Amino acid sequence: MRRPLSDSEVIGGAVGAIVAICLAGLMGSVRTEVTHANAALVLALVTIGAATVGGRWAGGATALAGAVGFDFFLTEPYGSLAIKDGSEIVTTILLFVLGVAVGQIVGERARAERGKQAGADEVSGLHRVAQLVSGDAPLSQVITTVEDEIAKVLLVPEATYTLLPPDPAPPVMDGSGRVDAPYVHLEDGFALPSPGVLVPVRGAGTARGWVVCGPPSGLVGVSSDRRRTALVLAGLLGAALAHADVAPA
């Protein structure tokens, strides 16, 4: 199951497709002054722009619209989707392939950049919590910080520490980051279950409570690295609770 299209994907695809069709129609009105090579280049540039904004889905939609517009307005018989010249068939196909390829490249690069930034943010969060725990910060501050950091890494609106799990309790995340719920794969991870998830808090070998996460605001993939980071954060909280001699759950 794939996540819903983002705003940038929808806007990039819609605007790109409209611009491609309009430009193809405009060039068709002066087709005697525009070579097929130049027309294809203009449509390719529009496709690249749409792919840069919205990734492979926007690039594919714009490429398809550009290929249809090129076929309809610029190839004989004009005003028809039929193509007589074999070279024009190749040009039309290449326009579409270009859009999909550029969109894929842009999408992969964007995901890599997001992953790099997310990793840096997770390390900063862990460092911040570790400093609080090692510096004997007030327990309330440690709890609040851990709640915020777990909500960030698991991509949920909020996370709340509690000694006892809610009733009914959402699925529990085990020590490996797995959750006993149907798996919905999205991009580089799996979506959390709609009721949310419980992250166990343990300290000194004893259960010290739970961090109640979610429910998530939408379908988004949460990678195994993010889940493991949440478990480490919960472990730091458990250590602080054990040090403060908070009664086990």
Side-chain angles (χ1 to χ4, degrees):
M1 182 176 180
R2 189 187 181 277
R3 61 172 175 79
L5 294 178
S6 66
D7 290 343
S8 63
E9 288 173 322
V10 173
I11 293 172
V15 173
I18 292 171
V19 170
I21 290 292
C22 291
L23 280 177
L26 180 62
M27 290 186 290
S29 66
V30 290
R31 62 176 65 95
T32 56
E33 306 296 327
V34 180
T35 65
H36 282 176
N38 287 337
L41 178 60
V42 170
L43 293 174
L45 291 175
V46 174
T47 298
I48 292 172
T52 301
V53 172
R56 65 179 181 273
W57 293 96
T62 303
L64 180 60
V68 170
F70 181 84
D71 182 1
F72 191 84
F73 293 108
L74 295 163
T75 65
E76 296 182 354
Y78 302 121
S80 169
L81 294 180
I83 304 178
K84 289 184 177 180
D85 191 328
S87 64
E88 292 173 351
I89 294 176
V90 173
T91 301
T92 302
I93 293 173
L94 287 177
L95 276 174
F96 177 70
V97 172
L98 171 68
V100 175
V102 171
Q104 183 69 29
I105 293 170
V106 172
E108 292 295 336
R109 179 173 296 177
R111 279 194 292 274
E113 289 296 327
R114 288 196 299 268
K116 181 179 179 180
Q117 184 59 50
D121 292 342
E122 290 169 26
V123 170
S124 296
L126 286 169
H127 181 66
R128 185 159 46 249
V129 173
Q131 281 188 317
L132 292 175
V133 173
S134 62
D136 289 329
L139 186 58
S140 59
Q141 184 180 2
V142 177
I143 292 174
T144 300
T145 304
V146 169
E147 289 173 340
D148 291 342
E149 293 299 333
I150 288 181
K152 289 177 185 177
V153 298
L154 293 184
L155 307 176
V156 295
E158 61 179 357
T160 305
Y161 168 73
T162 178
L163 277 173
L164 298 175
D167 185 20
V172 177
M173 181 180 295
D174 67 20
S176 66
R178 294 179 179 273
V179 180
D180 186 14
Y183 284 93
V184 180
H185 187 261
L186 298 169
E187 293 188 347
D188 62 344
F190 293 90
L192 296 180
S194 56
V197 68
L198 285 178
V199 179
V201 176
R202 298 184 63 83
T206 304
R208 300 282 172 173
W210 307 86
V211 176
V212 184
C213 304
S217 56
L219 284 177
V220 59
V222 180
S223 67
S224 58
D225 288 340
R226 286 181 175 274
R227 296 173 187 235
R228 284 192 289 267
T229 300
L231 291 167
V232 173
L233 288 165
L236 289 172
L237 175 56
L241 292 167
H243 179 69
D245 200 26
V246 173

